[in-house]
Structure formats: C-alpha cells, structure tokens
Amino acid sequence: MNLVFAAPVTPTVAVAETEDRFPVRRIFCVGRNYAAHAREMGQDPEREAPFFFSKPADAVVEAGRAVPYPPLTQNLHYEAELVVAIGLGGREIPSADALSHVWGYAIGNDLTRRDLQLAAREKGRPWDFGKAFDNSAVVGPIHPVARVGHLTKGTIGLTVNGETKQRADLADMIWPVPDIISILSGSVALKPGDLIMTGTPEGVGPLEIGDVCIVTIDGLGSISTKIGPKDS
Ligand code: MN
C-alpha cells in the first residue's frame, strides 16, 4: 500500500511510574453526570439516560504541558473529571462485567469553549466546536488498575491559581463507571485505547491566560495545566 502522505502518529499518554505509553483511540465524554453541575447548567438532573459527546484523539494534552488559549472564545472553562482508560474492547457489556474492561484511571480536564457550547445548545446544534477543539482534552498519566484498583469514591477537586473551584466526591456521579461503560458499549463497540471522561462536578468556571489549573483525585495525585499564551 502506498500512502499519499505519512499516516498520522497515534496520540499517546503516559502510564504512571513507567516509560510505557497508552495509545489513545477515541475520547468519549459523559455530559451532566453530577446533579449539582446539571443544575448549574440550567438542566434538570433527573436520572435520565446519560448522553455522550466526543473529542478527537489528537486533542489530548499531557499534564504539565501548557495549553494555548484557544481561538474563537471569550469563555474557556475547566472541568475536572475522572478518566477511564479502556484496555479490553466489547459491545453490549453488562454493568456487572464492565470493570474488567478498564485498564486504568487518570485525572482529566475537559476544556470547554463555554460560549460556543451554549450557543450551539440554544440552537440545537452539535457541541463539537465548544468541546472538540485542539488541545481540549487534558489527560494525566494513566494509573493501571493493577496498581490503584477501581475508583468508586474519593475527593475530586480543582484549583485555579491555588483557589478551590470544584470539590466533590466520585461517589456523587449520577451514573457510575460500570453503567457508563455498559451504556456506551450498547451504542458503539468499545476498543482498547478508548478513553472516557466521566463528567464534571459543580463549580465550573473560566480560565484566563497565565492561569494555573490543578486537578486532584484521591488515589491518583494531581495534574497541573498552565493556560496560554494564544497560538500565534
Ligand atoms: Mn465534561
């Protein structure tokens, strides 16, 4: 086979405490998975079926790397999230078996152009330009289940320039990880390398150029992201 140009390199993220890399296939994100965040976005947090959106795999940014302030927005937001890394694919995975498909967990920051997202929402248009832009998926090192086990509770928190903005418990998720995997795999065949960002708790807000945003999850440590400057 003769490719007409070089095939893109598969994006990867670090595996904690090793030189190994985790190849990223797709990035799925859960919308409104904490009731208090659904309320702050003006939505009824009734336990309706979760919905998903996605980001391109090459939107991944490793923890510690600066994120250029993105174009077309005046309201870039942080969203602290637990990231599930899939190691074993499958379709229509029952909740009871779902955790056996998890390779590991990471800390994530679902960067969002909130103004574009809300404008799209209002018009019933797709969220892509609010959510799926370049460098929009901050993902820290992946911690293998073999080392950290499965995360079902514990604090998830976020600070901007040292000031606490988000603080909740993983146990507050409306849809816990096994249900998310089960429901998502009923819609698409999951494959090794898929990442799932599991939603953010209340307290979302803006980031400005020069801000340092730190996300912490009990058992996974913390990741730090500096914003800006803009790409020239
Ligand atoms: Mn999110």
Side-chain angles (χ1 to χ4, degrees):
M1 183 175 56
N2 195 32
L3 298 176
V4 297
F5 50 80
V9 173
T10 299
T12 64
V13 293
V15 173
E17 291 170 44
T18 73
E19 298 296 308
D20 294 346
R21 307 284 302 176
F22 183 94
V24 178
R25 186 167 186 274
R26 294 174 295 188
I27 305 172
F28 295 102
C29 308
V30 184
R32 290 176 214 138
N33 201 22
Y34 291 79
H37 172 61
R39 273 186 227 107
E40 78 178 348
M41 295 302 290
Q43 305 297 320
D44 182 352
E46 202 180 317
R47 201 168 186 267
E48 57 180 21
F51 68 94
F52 297 87
F53 58 93
S54 55
K55 296 177 185 255
D58 67 1
V60 154
V61 182
E62 294 210 70
R65 264 181 43 207
V67 169
Y69 196 92
L72 294 182
T73 184
Q74 274 78 49
N75 198 18
L76 175 67
H77 272 207
Y78 54 77
E79 295 191 353
E81 311 213 357
L82 174 69
V83 180
V84 175
I86 297 294
L88 176 65
R91 302 169 56 218
E92 298 178 0
I93 299 164
S95 289
D97 296 340
L99 292 181
S100 68
H101 294 256
V102 178
W103 193 88
Y105 295 92
I107 301 171
N109 195 343
D110 167 16
L111 296 177
T112 301
R113 295 192 288 206
R114 190 72 71 200
D115 40 4
L116 300 193
Q117 182 206 10
L118 295 183
R121 192 180 83 183
E122 219 163 87
K123 292 182 171 157
R125 289 178 181 170
W127 285 11
D128 298 48
F129 282 10
K131 286 289 195 179
F133 52 95
D134 295 339
N135 304 304
S136 60
V138 179
V139 178
I142 297 178
H143 300 258
V145 167
R147 207 172 318 129
V148 297
H150 290 288
L151 278 68
T152 55
K153 57 181 166 50
T155 301
I156 175 168
L158 181 146
T159 64
V160 178
N161 303 331
E163 190 182 321
T164 297
K165 301 291 189 184
Q166 292 186 287
R167 189 176 168 82
D169 199 287
L170 296 177
D172 297 339
M173 283 186 198
I174 297 171
W175 295 92
V177 170
D179 290 347
I180 291 169
I181 292 171
S182 178
I183 293 165
L184 181 57
S185 72
S187 181
V188 295
L190 290 177
K191 297 282 176 75
D194 287 337
L195 298 178
I196 307 170
M197 303 186 88
T198 57
T200 197
E202 69 275 21
V204 298
L207 291 166
E208 309 293 345
I209 292 172
D211 283 351
V212 175
C213 185
I214 295 178
V215 188
T216 304
I217 294 179
D218 275 356
L220 301 183
S222 65
I223 66 166
S224 177
T225 303
K226 188 170 182 177
I227 303 301
K230 288 190 179 188
D231 262 342
S232 49

